[in-house]
Every structure is written in structure tokens, then in C-alpha cells.
Amino acid sequence: MNSKTVAKMIVEEAIVLLKNDDRLLPFSKGQRATFFGRAQVDTIYSGNGSGAVHKAACKNILEECEKRGICAQPGLRDYYKAQVSLEKAAKKDELDEAAIRKAINSGVMYEIFGKYHAPAEEYEIPEELLKAAADYTDTAVLVLGRDSGGEECDRHLEGDYYLTDSEKELAEQVCTNFTKVVLVLNINGLIDLSWTETYASVQSILFAGIPGEEGASALADILVGNVNPSGKLAYTIAKRYEDYPAAKHFTWDKDAEENLLTYESYGLSAAENGSTGYLKSPVTVYQEDIYAGYRYFDTFAKEPLYPFGYGLSYTEFATTCLGADKSKEGIAVKVCVKNTGNRAGKEVVQLYLSACDDTGERAHKELKGFEKTGLLQPGEEEQICLMIPWKEWGHYEEDKAAFVISQGDYRILVGNSSRNTENGAVVRVEQDILVEQCTNRLGIQACNQGKIEFLQKKLSNSKVQESKVQEELLNLPVISITETDIYPAGRKDSVPNSTICVGKESISQRDDVSQGNSRSEIVKQLSTEQLAALCVGYGPGTPFAAITGGSDPETIFDDDGKPITINSHPTGYNGYVSPAIKAAGIYSVSYKDGPAGTGELAWPSEMLMACAFNKRVWYEFGNSVGEECERQQVDVWLAPAVNLHRNPLCGRNFEYFSEDPYLTGICACEVAKGAQENHPVLVCPKHFAVNEQETYRRGSSKRQYDAVDSIISERAARELYLKPFEMLVKEADIACLMTSFNKINGVFAAGNKDLCTHILKEEWGYQGVVVTDWGDMDVVVDGADAVAAGNDIVMPGGPPVIKQILEGYRGGRVSREALEEAVRRLLYMAERGNKF
């Protein structure tokens, strides 16, 4: 399957039909329609930053719809084409190449890179064109676009999440002059849709996200019924921004310093949290705790506009649970799906787990399994078997530092959204069962204990969803579970089994023989200077070094003036390669962004991709980008991005899959497997961890602001924000992982030993290398502290960070053993990528 076919297939599977009153869609052949909105011609196919791909002459929505027989009103069609052409001809770059180089080398690149750009204004429609369009047809297609936000910059509330003034005016014109309106959302993040409820003419809504270069073609096929939509929302669309539980605990406007949330906003001390010498010390408090996304809406009975997992079809389905059985792996659930409508289509079966005892702090329901059917003809049915593994039954108890399955009854819910489920089975856990024994890590700092009130059901004034347990469970079979069902051979040393909790030896203690020499033998022969030079990237130490054309040294030199390391890669750019020491048999590894592929093709964004709920298309995406990497001789693909949608204003939500950690983890694992199982390519998931706010994620040297501190409970971190990374380690066999810039409870993620060593390497058994995100010119972790914490490689690094590491070594902050371990892991990654 060629890449363009895969790209189109992803979008066909992922576009979500949110509304379709009176079966307005699909259009019949020859349907007359007037198209409004600049994005119909200037279709947004790519995001920004590392998630951006720039391609010439990508397909646009208007032209693809016309190709499929939709008759666009000629006057407005020509008007929009002319306006877009004039605008592009007049547009000039804000920075010339010389200015870009100066910005990079002066250390303010991210001040420019992260500058907010508002959504483009809609064109004013002349009254005579509007009248002619209304005379032509009663049907309009309104395409709204968004490409605001990105790296270092979150989206804004007014005029971004909420419609701009020009969009409001356009929507009023369209919805009052046409009785049948199809709204197409070509957006890189969620926007307010409550306004659509005020116009009866808005009969159909399609979420198309950022669909890549083949997206317009896929959308057109859905509009005319060549493809039946089967996407489901991977996030919740609220009625109001304020309904999102993180709305009050998220800073999004760099220019409104008075609204910046700091330690003092919560009665905390910046100094006690280790942030001194800064004018401001930003924080983002995960006050919603475990109740993120639909977990909040469903638990606290908050009615969404469109719930998680929701999506319509041009046909109808009946879903029936056929029963559930226990096995040594978990609980297997059998479901039958039948197409009861008159068009062929696909449905997504979703399994949720709900604890019947609502007195504890548990989300009302959590997604634990899903599967999309094949294409079912009218009257056809398909049986699906889904497994909820034992690990998914546990929740984390901080006082025990353990994942535990609590005694009690649990309902398995079957449905096609978080708000449309039916009871499938009841599982009765006869006793508390230890799933995984951990050690308390990443906890709230002692100075903050008791000063932040995290969201709890028992302390909330909001209505809490109640389970009608007795009435709902009377006629359901009950499956009884005891500890012996999970541990038939008995538990050994309180560890369930090797797949859940592995040993804690370092990589140097494992069998690491390769090409006749062990990695341990190689690193023992290296000097401390060589080790330090291998713990960074090769290059001058600034991001985007390949385009600066500077003369700064790329490495350090020995006593004879010879470079200690070189770039041995045939295609890798300085700043995006690891160093080589050929005499020791160590060769460079190349890295390349990003979540939307490596530039050969503009792929749909992860945000849209997740809505496919189809493991096969995610795997094929990984396979296709792996092929891109292989052609370009890229060794490590800097993707997937697996942070969660915590707030709709996050500037990089388009790069992330979902608000749900399980769905995110499955998406990411399939992408990783697709790339790594078919090509000599490794993935590098990012950003580890708790990096859901872009605003001041790396602070600001210019403004003297510290990096943002993500203040979060250990339980929320483990159950939600670390979970996708854990799944990638244990299920996708990754060998490279990227940390984030932000702090977590006062400690830089890249300098956090709890995160990079104790959890990742010891608890999860991760064998690969840990690299920082790219950039060393603002408020980020010291190189020696990073390596000492288990963040093996600092990127892009270069001589400035080598100096930090050597100074830290001489000062006793990082040991020779830590340097050797870091390089061993680098060699392991290189070996996995066939570069050693």
C-alpha cells in the first residue's frame, strides 16, 4: 500500500460526523452548494513546529468536492480563489535567513518560534455575491479553519477557541441565508461549538481536524457518500470552555503577565520550591487530579456537547454483549455488532470499566478496550472478542505505593461512546489484589503538602454520577475473581509476573555482547572526556544548527588539537546526530522530526488519527513513515508524541492523540510497531512527562521566568500521564525516549531521577536511551544533572553541555559510572538501529 493511499485511508477512517439532522448528508450527485470560509481553498493540511510539514500544491476542499460532482456556486467560488491568491502574493516572510541565524545563535529562537499567531481573518462577503449564492441553492458548506498555537505557544480563548469576529459575522450570514448548512471543521484544536445550537440551519457537522495532503480528497468522498464516516471523538467537546476541569489551572497568554499562574497564585512559595532568581515562577496545577477529560464529565454528571467516543454514521448499528469469561490474561468480552441500516458502514465497539462502589475516588468509567468492525453490509453482523487485561483493572494507591484491584463489584460497559453504554457483565473481586508493587515517586513537594486541594468527589459541591447498581445488575451474570485467578502459581516476592514488573539491574549487567565486544568493554576503554562528548549531540549546541552556517565548534578537542568526536552519518545534520568515535567502533545515529512524518508526505495529525479507533491504520502509518526514514537513512524518528489533551487551548494538541491514556497508548504502540517491525528504524516517543502546557514550558531567559512546574499527584501522574509511555516500554519495545522541558513537582523532567531512573528504568525495565528535547539556550536542566538523573543524552548539546558535564564530574555531581551507563545505553540504541 503506497503512502498516499494510507494517508487517505487514515482520514476516511477518522473524520467524525458530529451531527446529521434530516440526513442532510451524504449529498447526492449533482448537489448544488455554496461554499464559504477561506479554508475551503486555503485548506489547512499541517500543524506547526515539529508537527509541521510544508508541501506545495496540496489538494483543497473546494476542488476535491467539485471533482466528485458537487456543483459549487460559481460567483463565491471564484471570489474565494481570487482572495486567497491575492493574499498569498502579498504575503512576505517575517524573518529573512540572516535574522533567523541571528535569533538562533543569540538564544532567543524560541521567543520567535513560540510567538502567537492568531487565526486568519475571514473575508468579507459582498452583499450581491451573498444574494446570488442564496438564489442558487438553499444548501451551504461552511469550512472553518484553525492553525494557531504550536511549540512554546498555546492557543487563546477569545478569537481562537471562541470564534473570531469575522467568523461570527460569516456564520450569521451563512446560517440566516441558507436553510441547510454543513459545517466542516478544519482545525488544529477544539473550538467552541455551542453557537451551532442557536441556528436550526446547521444540520450537519464534520470534524476533519488537520487531515494532511490527502485529507481534502477523503472529506469529499465522505460528503458524497463514497465513504461512510466511522470516526469517533478521542476527546470531549464541552458546551463551554469553563466546563473543562483544567480551565482555571492553565496559562495560555504570554502577553497577559497579570494572568500568569505562579506558586503565589496557590499560596505556595517559589523559594521553598527551589525557584529563585526569577521575576516569575510559573506553575500549572493538575487540580483535576485523576478526573481529566471524560472521566470528569462522566463522574461529575457534567453534560458535554459531544462526548468522548462519539461519532455518527450514515447507517445504524445494534450492539449486543454475548457474554464475558475470565482467562489467565484477563476478562474476555464477546460482542456482536449488526448493521441495521441501509448503507454499508463500520462501527467502533468500546468497553468501559466502572466500579460499582462510588464512595472511593475512582472515575465513573474508564475506557479499557475497543475495536472497529470491518465494512458491514446492511443486515450483516460481526462478532468481536475484546480483552481487558488484569493490569487495566488496578488503580494506584499512594499510601501503599502499589497498583491494586480493590474488592468489590465492577461493571463492564459496552457501547459506542462514553455516554452511550449498556451493562455487559459484572465482575466480583472477592479480595484486594496486588497488581504491582512500586515505590513512592514523583510526589508533591513537602512544602506544598496540604496547601493544594485536588478535586475529589467527596469534597466537590458538584453533582456526582450515581450507579443504579442493584437495579442494573439483577439480570447480569456475575464473574467471580480471586487472587488465584490472576496468579495461578502464586505470587513471588509480591511481584505478579515478569511482564508486569521486571528486574532492576542496569543495562551493564545484562548480556550486551555485540560484534565480539561487549558494550561494557568499549565504554571502559573510553576517557572521561570521550564519555562526556558522547552524552550530547554532535554540533555547536543550538537547535536548527544545520541552517545557521556558524563557525562554532561541534565538539571538544584532545591535547593534539584533534576533535574527540565526529559526525560519521552520511545524511544526518549536525545538531540532529549523535557523535561518533570510529576508532572505538562507535558511529553516528541520526534523528528527525516529527509526529506528522519526516517531510516526504504531509500526514494527518495525531489528533485526527486517533479518531479512527483503528489499530490497522495506525500500524500502517508507522510502517509508511518507517519507509520514509529508511529512504532518508534516518535512524530515529522523533515520534509519536504522547502527551494528553488536558486543556483544549494547548498549542500542541494537534500533535497528541487523545485525552485518554489508554487510547493514546494503543495508538502510539501501533505506530511504533509499524515503524520498528518493518524497518531498521527506531521511534522516540515524547515528551516524558506531564507536558500539557506550552506556555513557558522552558521558561524565558529574556523575561527571567523559570520553566513551568507541573504540580501533580503521584496517582494522577502514574494512572494518566505516564501510562502511554509505560505501554510503549512494555508493549512496543522502544529504545529511545525524549524527556520534556518542564518541571514536575519542582524538578526538571530531564533531571528527575524518580522519573528517568527509578520509574522508567528500574520499575518498567527500560533498556534504551533517554534524550532531552532539543534546545539548551533557555531555562533547562544542567547537562551533568541530567546524566546523573538517568537522562543519558542532552540534545543538541555540543561543547557547552560537554563542559557542563565535565564540570559536574570534577565537582562530584555526576560519576564515571553514570557516564558509562549513559554511553552503554547509547550503544544499545545504536545496535538496535543496526548502527553498531
Side-chain angles (χ1 to χ4, degrees):
M1 193 181 303
N2 68 55
S3 293
K4 287 183 178 290
T5 301
V6 174
K8 184 170 184 286
M9 176 180 68
I10 293 171
V11 184
E12 290 173 348
E13 296 276 339
I15 284 179
V16 184
L17 180 62
L18 295 174
K19 186 176 182 179
N20 198 28
D21 291 353
D22 298 329
R23 297 184 180 273
L24 176 58
L25 294 177
F27 287 149
S28 57
K29 188 174 181 179
Q31 170 71 49
R32 285 188 170 196
T34 299
F35 284 75
F36 291 89
R38 59 181 297 135
Q40 61 170 301
V41 176
D42 192 17
T43 301
I44 300 167
Y45 62 87
S46 174
N48 305 305
S50 67
V53 176
H54 300 290
K55 300 279 287 184
C58 283
K59 300 171 182 178
N60 68 55
I61 292 171
L62 175 63
E63 290 178 349
E64 291 303 305
C65 287
E66 288 188 304
K67 288 178 184 178
R68 283 150 183 83
I70 300 175
C71 300
Q73 198 273 336
L76 270 175
R77 176 194 62 199
D78 296 341
Y79 173 77
Y80 272 103
K81 285 183 177 181
Q83 292 298 312
V84 171
S85 296
L86 287 171
E87 185 177 284
K88 289 186 174 181
K91 191 173 183 180
K92 296 181 179 180
D93 292 335
E94 294 184 7
L95 288 173
D96 59 24
E97 186 174 341
I100 292 175
R101 289 178 179 174
K102 182 179 179 181
I104 293 172
N105 291 321
S106 67
V108 297
M109 183 60 192
Y110 279 101
E111 294 291 338
I112 298 166
F113 199 46
K115 184 177 176 60
Y116 176 73
H117 296 280
E121 292 295 319
E122 286 292 348
Y123 304 120
E124 186 175 345
I125 306 299
E127 194 63 35
E128 64 274 13
L129 285 181
L130 183 63
K131 184 179 185 305
D135 290 340
Y136 178 77
T137 180
D138 62 355
T139 303
V141 177
L142 172 59
V143 184
L144 293 183
R146 278 291 179 282
D147 62 352
S148 54
E151 291 194 40
E152 306 295 324
C153 184
D154 292 304
R155 295 171 56 217
H156 285 195
L157 186 60
E158 296 296 334
D160 192 341
Y161 175 80
Y162 291 112
L163 298 188
T164 66
D165 289 342
S166 61
E167 288 172 336
K168 292 176 183 176
E169 183 179 348
L170 179 62
E172 172 73 12
Q173 288 179 309
V174 173
C175 296
T176 57
N177 283 280
F178 297 83
T179 57
K180 300 174 183 177
V181 177
V182 176
L183 174 63
V184 175
L185 302 171
N186 176 206
I187 53 180
N188 70 338
L190 298 181
I191 66 172
D192 172 52
L193 292 178
S194 62
W195 62 271
T196 64
E197 301 288 284
T198 65
Y199 294 109
S201 55
V202 180
Q203 295 186 5
S204 295
I205 304 175
L206 284 162
F207 174 79
I210 303 298
E213 64 182 78
E214 293 298 317
S217 177
L219 173 65
D221 277 334
I222 286 175
L223 286 172
V224 300
N226 293 341
V227 174
N228 194 341
S230 60
K232 304 288 184 179
L233 285 177
Y235 15 80
T236 303
I237 297 180
K239 291 183 176 180
R240 305 180 309 146
Y241 173 75
E242 293 77 15
D243 290 344
Y244 289 104
K248 295 181 180 180
H249 305 279
F250 187 91
T251 299
W252 46 265
D253 188 355
K254 289 183 177 180
D255 296 323
E257 295 185 13
E258 68 277 9
N259 296 327
L260 178 63
L261 295 171
T262 65
Y263 291 109
E264 289 71 23
S265 304
Y266 294 88
L268 308 177
S269 166
E272 289 179 359
N273 278 274
S275 181
T276 58
Y278 299 99
L279 294 179
K280 288 184 181 290
S281 300
V283 301
T284 179
V285 176
Y286 286 60
Q287 189 272 343
E288 68 277 12
D289 204 43
I290 62 169
Y291 301 108
Y294 70 90
R295 287 167 165 78
Y296 169 77
F297 286 86
D298 290 352
T299 302
F300 292 90
K302 179 72 70 173
E303 191 67 29
L305 189 61
Y306 297 108
F308 174 88
Y310 173 84
L312 300 174
S313 170
Y314 294 152
T315 189
E316 292 80 36
F317 299 94
T319 301
T320 306
C321 182
L322 302 179
D325 296 294
K326 60 184 175 183
S327 69
K328 63 180 182 180
E329 290 85 15
I331 299 293
V333 182
K334 294 180 181 179
V335 179
C336 179
V337 180
K338 183 176 182 179
N339 184 342
T340 59
N342 56 14
R343 283 180 174 268
K346 300 178 180 181
E347 177 64 302
V348 176
V349 177
Q350 301 167 36
L351 290 189
Y352 294 85
L353 191 62
S354 178
C356 295
D357 181 1
D358 278 341
T359 59
E361 292 299 331
R362 296 286 298 272
H364 181 63
K365 62 171 75 81
E366 298 176 0
L367 181 71
K368 297 299 180 183
F370 61 87
E371 196 71 46
K372 180 174 277 190
T373 68
L375 185 66
L376 299 180
Q377 299 298 322
E380 187 178 4
E381 62 183 42
E382 179 180 336
Q383 290 190 12
I384 295 173
C385 185
L386 301 100
M387 175 69 68
I388 306 180
W390 296 125
K391 176 66 187 294
E392 293 299 324
W393 290 75
H395 66 281
Y396 190 75
E397 297 187 7
E398 290 189 22
D399 58 341
K400 298 178 181 177
F403 283 92
V404 176
I405 305 175
S406 296
Q407 181 181 10
D409 290 344
Y410 296 80
R411 292 181 298 156
I412 295 176
L413 305 174
V414 181
N416 60 4
S417 81
S418 70
R419 286 298 178 100
N420 185 33
T421 61
E422 294 184 357
N423 293 305
V426 175
V427 175
R428 179 161 297 153
V429 179
E430 302 290 352
Q431 61 194 117
D432 287 352
I433 302 173
L434 175 67
V435 178
E436 180 181 358
Q437 184 62 58
C438 306
T439 301
N440 288 123
R441 307 289 186 192
L442 293 182
I444 301 289
Q445 294 220 73
C447 61
N448 300 333
Q449 291 284 351
K451 298 180 181 180
I452 300 174
E453 188 175 280
F454 291 97
L455 182 61
Q456 297 181 52
K457 287 189 289 187
K458 63 183 179 182
L459 299 178
S460 174
N461 293 323
S462 303
K463 178 183 177 182
V464 176
Q465 182 68 43
E466 298 178 357
S467 292
K468 300 177 182 178
V469 179
Q470 299 302 323
E471 299 92 327
E472 293 181 355
L473 305 187
L474 284 176
N475 298 318
L476 290 175
V478 176
I479 302 170
S480 180
I481 300 297
T482 65
E483 187 173 84
T484 56
D485 292 308
I486 301 176
Y487 308 103
R491 188 163 59 238
K492 298 179 181 180
D493 300 325
S494 299
V495 178
N497 56 60
S498 60
T499 64
I500 293 180
C501 187
V502 302
K504 297 184 178 181
E505 74 276 6
S506 71
I507 195 168
S508 61
Q509 295 172 292
R510 300 187 182 97
D511 179 15
D512 60 359
V513 178
S514 175
Q515 299 181 0
N517 293 301
S518 73
R519 294 187 288 272
S520 294
E521 291 171 351
I522 291 175
V523 299
K524 290 294 184 186
Q525 296 170 8
L526 298 175
S527 69
T528 302
E529 289 73 18
Q530 287 174 316
L531 290 171
L534 289 168
C535 287
V536 300
Y538 183 85
T542 52
F544 323 105
I547 66 171
T548 62
S551 58
D552 293 337
E554 284 88 5
T555 186
I556 59 174
F557 300 85
D558 62 19
D559 294 338
D560 297 325
K562 296 180 180 179
I564 284 181
T565 58
I566 64 170
N567 175 4
S568 68
H569 201 275
T571 63
Y573 295 110
N574 291 352
Y576 275 83
V577 294
S578 66
I581 302 176
K582 285 187 176 181
I586 301 172
Y587 295 87
S588 295
V589 170
S590 72
Y591 307 83
K592 193 168 185 181
D593 277 318
T598 60
E600 289 189 8
L601 187 145
W603 291 92
S605 70
E606 288 187 3
M607 181 181 182
L608 176 62
M609 199 178 301
C611 295
F613 276 75
N614 189 323
K615 298 166 190 173
R616 174 182 168 236
V617 301
W618 301 328
Y619 185 92
E620 288 299 334
F621 167 64
N623 181 26
S624 295
V625 179
E627 187 176 347
E628 289 182 12
C629 292
E630 191 170 0
R631 279 194 295 269
Q632 299 173 30
Q633 299 185 62
V634 172
D635 303 308
V636 181
W637 172 31
L638 299 176
V642 295
N643 299 102
L644 302 185
H645 291 222
R646 177 180 173 235
N647 185 296
L649 299 186
C650 175
R652 297 180 78 175
N653 275 351
F654 69 92
E655 285 190 58
Y656 306 146
F657 291 110
S658 174
E659 68 187 25
D660 182 75
Y662 176 79
L663 175 58
T664 295
I666 295 295
C667 289
C669 285
E670 291 301 320
V671 171
K673 291 173 185 176
Q676 295 186 161
E677 291 177 355
N678 300 290
H679 308 280
V681 172
L682 300 174
V683 299
C684 180
K686 57 185 183 180
H687 309 85
F688 191 57
V690 200
N691 175 203
E692 279 71 35
Q693 176 179 298
E694 287 298 299
T695 300
Y696 296 121
R697 64 171 181 153
R698 54 177 294 116
S700 172
S701 295
K702 180 180 178 181
R703 300 191 182 190
Q704 297 182 54
Y705 289 0
D706 199 358
V708 70
D709 186 4
S710 297
I711 299 177
I712 188 171
S713 72
E714 181 187 6
R715 180 182 178 187
R718 285 185 178 272
E719 288 190 8
L720 275 65
Y721 300 96
L722 300 188
K723 184 179 179 66
F725 295 99
E726 181 181 9
M727 294 172 69
L728 281 157
V729 169
K730 294 181 177 180
E731 299 173 26
D733 195 24
I734 61 171
C736 189
L737 186 67
M738 183 193 297
T739 51
S740 53
F741 288 130
N742 58 286
K743 296 180 178 181
I744 305 174
N745 290 328
V747 183
F748 280 110
N752 196 313
K753 196 162 188 175
D754 273 1
L755 183 71
C756 298
T757 294
H758 297 314
I759 291 177
L760 176 64
K761 296 176 179 178
E762 294 176 355
E763 286 187 18
W764 298 352
Y766 177 64
Q767 299 184 44
V769 74
V770 181
V771 303
T772 66
D773 201 344
W774 264 243
D776 290 308
M777 73 283 274
D778 264 336
V779 185
V780 294
V781 69
D782 175 87
D785 293 340
V787 177
N791 194 124
D792 309 295
I793 309 296
V794 180
M795 295 298 292
V801 180
I802 298 174
K803 180 181 178 181
Q804 290 178 357
I805 294 171
L806 290 174
E807 288 178 352
Y809 171 73
R810 288 189 288 268
R813 287 186 293 114
V814 62
S815 66
R816 163 106 190 176
E817 288 74 20
L819 295 174
E820 289 182 2
E821 178 73 2
V823 175
R824 285 189 197 96
R825 290 177 176 273
L826 172 65
L827 299 185
Y828 170 79
M829 179 184 72
E831 180 183 348
R832 281 280 308 275
N834 296 326
K835 299 294 291 184
F836 176 61

